[in-house]
């Protein structure tokens, strides 16, 4: 018998979201019953059943190796909770417990396909205000989408939502005017900001597409913000699509994450079972800042590259930048002797190089008499008629 699948939810106070989570767990039980593999699920916080109760029930039935899959579209540890820390506490309560942690669902092509289906349903929806006059025909080029994520205090998580928006636009909505990104909380732009940008770009219809798994409080906040904006912009057709929800397509993605972790592609809790990464190390020629404690090596590399880019952006904007400390650079990447050898010799004071693009060629410095080769008339500028 294969190890059981443990679905980890972030928790919600909304009963609708809890009920939909339970229905999805039941769907996976029916799907994995033929493997055979048990399926259970629990929440980190704010909802029942707690994750600890689900684990205790599996251990009581004789399971000591679990495949845990975070039911999340992003890897936001602040929103989902400290899964490694929570699982470590469970291992203290159950010393024989081991687990493999699968990847979040992320920008899987099947998730994008599910979003496209929700968008198509919203585009085919009848207008909210039915009158005797036929509804005006709105072309795809006049239709925009606002993909709305949860929002996070982690810039990397927000950037991932932007990446999903771009992927979705190019793969499933290329005929539309634009696909903008917005967030419910924690960062900008909010839902009204995304709608306003679409309006200014010329959209006559905007479809709000929640990048959310299940209905609940988050969806209600998205609807409230969209309705509040629409109340002040009656000429704009605003529609809201459904969440991804409990469906077979989402179950396919979760089962793939389960099989992937089962084959050794997840993060193992056993040190002896840890596998070396097949990703080559990234050479960082610039000093890096420290990533957050417990961050992965990839996160540390990203933090270093962001720091290097930010430093050079600051120097480009500073009219009087401080000199770069070359001793901080990696000696293997930058050879100082070679650099000094390739630097051109400085020109003598008052000398103008032959390759200079100075319009006053042939003249000396201020106060000097013109040289013999100086032209008698002002040089004509390209595209400007001479006044002489």
């Amino acid at each position: 018998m294969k190890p059981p699948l443990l679905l980890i939810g972030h928790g919600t106070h909304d009963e609708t979201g809890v009920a939909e989570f339970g229905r999805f767990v039941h769907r996976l039980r029916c799907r994995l019953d033929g493997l055979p593999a048990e399926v259970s699920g629990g929440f980190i916080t704010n909802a029942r059943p707690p994750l600890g109760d689900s684990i205790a029930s599996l251990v009581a039935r004789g399971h000591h190796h679990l495949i845990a899959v975070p039911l999340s579209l992003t890897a936001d540890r602040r929103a989902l909770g400290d899964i490694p820390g929570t699982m470590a506490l469970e291992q203290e309560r159950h010393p024989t417990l081991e687990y493999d942690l699968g990847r979040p669902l992320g920008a899987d092509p099947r998730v994008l396909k599910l979003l496209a289906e929700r968008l198509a349903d919203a585009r085919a929806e009848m207008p909210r205000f039915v009158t005797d006059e036929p509804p005006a025909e709105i072309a795809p080029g006049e239709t925009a989408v606002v993909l709305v994520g949860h929002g996070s205090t982690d810039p990397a998580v927000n950037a991932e939502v932007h990446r999903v928006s771009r992927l979705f636009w190019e793969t499933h909505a290329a005929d539309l005017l634009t696909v903008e990104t917005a967030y419910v909380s924690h960062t900008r732009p909010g839902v009204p900001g995304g709608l306003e940008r679409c309006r200014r770009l010329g959209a006559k219809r905007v479809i709000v597409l929640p990048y959310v798994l299940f209905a609940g409080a988050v969806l209600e906040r998205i609807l409230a913000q969209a309705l509040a904006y629409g109340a002040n912009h009656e000429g704009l057709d605003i529609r809201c699509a459904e969440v991804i929800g409990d469906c077979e397509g989402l179950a396919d993605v979760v089962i793939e994450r389960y099989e992937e972790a089962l084959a050794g592609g997840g993060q193992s809790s056993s040190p002896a079972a840890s596998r070396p990464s097949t990703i080559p190390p990234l050479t960082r020629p610039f000093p890096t800042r420290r990533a957050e404690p417990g961050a992965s090596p990839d996160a540390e590399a990203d933090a270093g590259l962001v720091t290097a880019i930010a430093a050079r952006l600051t120097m480009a904007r500073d009219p009087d930048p401080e000199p770069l400390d070359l001793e901080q650079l990696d000696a293997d990447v930058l050879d100082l002797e070679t650099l000094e050898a390739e630097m051109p010799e400085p020109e003598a004071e008052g000398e103008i190089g032959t390759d200079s693009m100075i319009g006053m060629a042939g003249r000396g410095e201020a106060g000097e008499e013109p040289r013999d080769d100086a032209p008698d008339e002002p040089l004509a500028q390209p595209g400007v008629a001479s006044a002489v």
Side-chain angles (χ1 to χ4, degrees):
M1 186 172 183
K2 291 187 176 183
L5 167 62
L6 177 66
L7 290 175
I8 302 178
H10 59 77
T12 175
H13 293 290
D14 188 89
E15 295 182 358
T16 304
V18 174
E20 197 162 4
F21 179 87
R23 289 194 295 269
F24 185 66
V25 171
H26 178 72
R27 179 186 297 273
L28 285 171
R29 284 174 181 162
C30 298
R31 289 281 303 269
L32 296 180
D33 184 56
L35 287 179
E38 290 194 39
V39 179
S40 184
F43 297 97
I44 294 283
T45 57
N46 299 332
R48 299 188 63 85
L51 187 62
D53 290 358
S54 299
I55 293 176
S57 177
L58 290 172
V59 173
R61 294 199 296 270
H63 298 290
H64 300 282
H65 181 207
L66 311 176
I67 305 295
V69 176
L71 204 57
S72 173
L73 292 172
T74 62
D76 188 2
R77 294 182 60 179
R78 294 176 177 86
L80 188 60
D82 185 9
I83 294 178
T86 302
M87 297 300 293
L89 291 176
E90 296 301 324
Q91 285 183 308
E92 291 182 1
R93 297 171 184 164
H94 311 284
T96 60
L97 177 65
E98 293 184 356
Y99 69 92
D100 289 300
L101 184 61
R103 294 186 297 119
L105 306 184
D108 189 280
R110 285 162 295 188
V111 173
L112 298 180
K113 183 180 179 181
L114 291 173
L115 291 174
E117 293 175 1
R118 304 299 176 267
L119 175 63
D121 293 341
R123 292 179 66 179
E125 177 186 331
M126 290 296 294
R128 293 176 181 171
F129 304 102
V130 180
T131 63
D132 295 335
E133 298 180 0
E137 187 70 22
I138 298 179
E142 299 172 322
T143 301
V145 175
V146 177
L147 188 140
V148 184
H150 283 266
S152 172
T153 55
D154 185 354
V157 175
N158 298 328
E160 177 63 19
V161 179
H162 265 282
R163 176 174 175 267
V164 171
S165 296
R166 185 68 192 188
L167 287 172
F168 181 75
W169 189 13
E170 296 198 8
T171 57
H172 294 283
D175 60 328
L176 301 186
L177 175 63
T178 182
V179 175
E180 297 296 323
T181 309
Y183 305 93
V184 179
S185 59
H186 296 301
T187 189
R188 298 175 298 174
V191 176
L195 292 169
E196 177 65 14
R197 179 169 176 81
C198 293
R199 186 187 69 83
R200 294 190 178 189
L201 289 174
K204 295 182 179 179
R205 172 179 295 155
V206 182
I207 300 176
V208 178
L209 184 62
Y211 188 52
V212 179
L213 285 178
F214 301 130
V218 175
L219 178 60
E220 292 178 358
R221 293 175 65 182
I222 293 174
L223 290 172
Q225 294 181 30
L227 289 174
Y229 179 88
N232 298 321
H233 300 83
E234 297 182 357
L236 186 62
D237 181 10
I238 301 177
R239 305 182 182 187
C240 189
E242 297 291 337
V243 296
I244 294 174
D246 169 32
C247 60
E248 288 296 321
L250 184 62
D252 292 338
V253 181
V254 173
I255 291 174
E256 182 183 89
R257 296 294 185 270
Y258 169 80
E259 296 286 357
E260 179 184 89
L262 190 62
Q267 177 183 348
S268 177
S269 63
S270 175
S274 61
R275 291 163 292 277
S277 174
T278 58
I279 301 176
L282 179 65
T283 303
R284 296 188 298 275
F286 306 114
T288 62
R289 63 173 176 85
R290 291 185 178 273
E292 293 184 0
S296 64
D298 292 341
E300 294 180 356
D302 293 342
L305 292 176
V306 170
T307 301
I309 295 172
R312 277 140 188 82
L313 179 61
T314 302
M315 292 178 64
R317 293 187 299 183
D318 190 356
D320 188 18
E322 296 182 359
L324 182 65
D325 187 2
L326 297 181
E327 294 182 357
Q328 294 182 358
L329 301 180
D330 193 343
D332 295 335
V333 178
L334 183 61
D335 188 347
L336 298 181
E337 295 182 358
T338 304
L339 180 62
E340 293 176 355
E342 294 178 353
M343 291 181 62
E345 293 294 333
E347 297 176 350
E349 184 177 359
E351 180 181 354
I352 299 178
T354 56
D355 59 345
S356 176
M357 298 297 294
I358 300 176
M360 296 296 293
R363 286 170 167 79
E365 296 184 357
E368 294 183 359
E369 292 295 327
R371 297 200 303 266
D372 296 338
D373 57 347
D376 296 332
E377 299 178 355
L379 295 178
Q381 300 297 323
V384 180
S386 175
V388 180

